[in-house]
Amino acid sequence: MSAHFKKKSSNTKEEIPTASLPDIIFMLLIFFMVTTVLRETDLLVNVSIPQAEAVEKIDQKRLIQYVYIGPERRETGGLGEPAVQVDDAIVRDLPDIRQAMFRRLREEPRTIISMRVDRDIETGLLYDVQQELREAEALRVNYSTSREAD
């Protein structure tokens, strides 16, 4: 009776198909290239930010627009008069800040303006920049600091 119940052996291979693996790797490579931010701003002003005890980190860096205020770096290596930098350009006329921020806020209303101000800058220039930001309806403004050393 045991002759009727024979176990059949299968001829299937137990290998994982790898024919589509290069396509998957290429798609992942393209995905990470598209989603990674590589652009850094060239600083044209010298900024040494002040220290603070209570520092809060912002998670969504894509929503941040930086405004740098500090002495302008000269090509000869020295420092010049205080200047305002937005993106990669020095802003000579303060109303240009209002126009640039107004355009940025129309593109992305959740934009946060992060002010990186040199600790030795007089408050008059900082106040003027704040007024231009108010005129542009940029109400989400923070001030960048470094954590105070213990």
Side-chain angles (χ1 to χ4, degrees):
M1 216 158 158
S2 65
H4 295 289
F5 298 106
K6 289 186 180 179
K7 185 175 182 181
K8 293 183 180 180
S9 62
S10 64
N11 293 334
T12 61
K13 297 178 183 178
E14 295 182 11
E15 295 178 5
I16 298 174
T18 58
S20 63
L21 191 60
D23 295 335
I24 294 170
I25 292 172
F26 184 70
M27 286 186 343
L28 283 172
L29 178 66
I30 294 296
F31 171 77
F32 286 114
M33 286 174 58
V34 169
T35 59
T36 303
V37 177
L38 297 176
R39 187 175 191 286
E40 291 290 327
T41 302
D42 295 327
L43 284 179
L44 303 174
V45 296
N46 189 38
V47 177
S48 64
I49 56 177
Q51 295 180 344
E53 290 180 19
V55 177
E56 188 175 322
K57 188 174 182 178
I58 298 174
D59 295 326
Q60 296 182 348
K61 300 271 186 195
R62 288 185 179 269
L63 297 177
I64 297 177
Q65 174 69 48
Y66 291 102
V67 175
Y68 301 93
I69 303 174
E72 186 174 358
R73 292 181 182 172
R74 294 185 179 160
E75 293 178 9
T76 59
L79 297 176
E81 294 296 317
V84 179
Q85 177 182 346
V86 177
D87 294 328
D88 284 334
I90 298 289
V91 177
R92 301 290 178 203
D93 296 324
L94 291 181
D96 292 343
I97 296 172
R98 179 186 330 165
Q99 295 168 358
M101 293 304 151
F102 189 78
R103 272 187 262 116
R104 171 72 187 221
L105 287 166
R106 291 304 155 248
E107 293 170 8
E108 178 56 62
R110 299 177 298 157
T111 298
I112 300 169
I113 310 300
S114 182
M115 305 274 289
R116 292 194 168 199
V117 182
D118 188 74
R119 65 175 62 137
D120 297 327
I121 289 297
E122 296 179 13
T123 57
L125 179 59
L126 177 60
Y127 178 77
D128 293 341
V129 171
Q130 288 173 335
Q131 291 297 72
E132 293 299 326
L133 292 174
R134 283 187 191 121
E135 292 293 323
E137 299 176 11
L139 303 178
R140 297 181 70 187
V141 178
N142 78 354
Y143 295 90
S144 297
T145 62
S146 61
R147 186 173 294 277
E148 193 171 80
D150 293 330

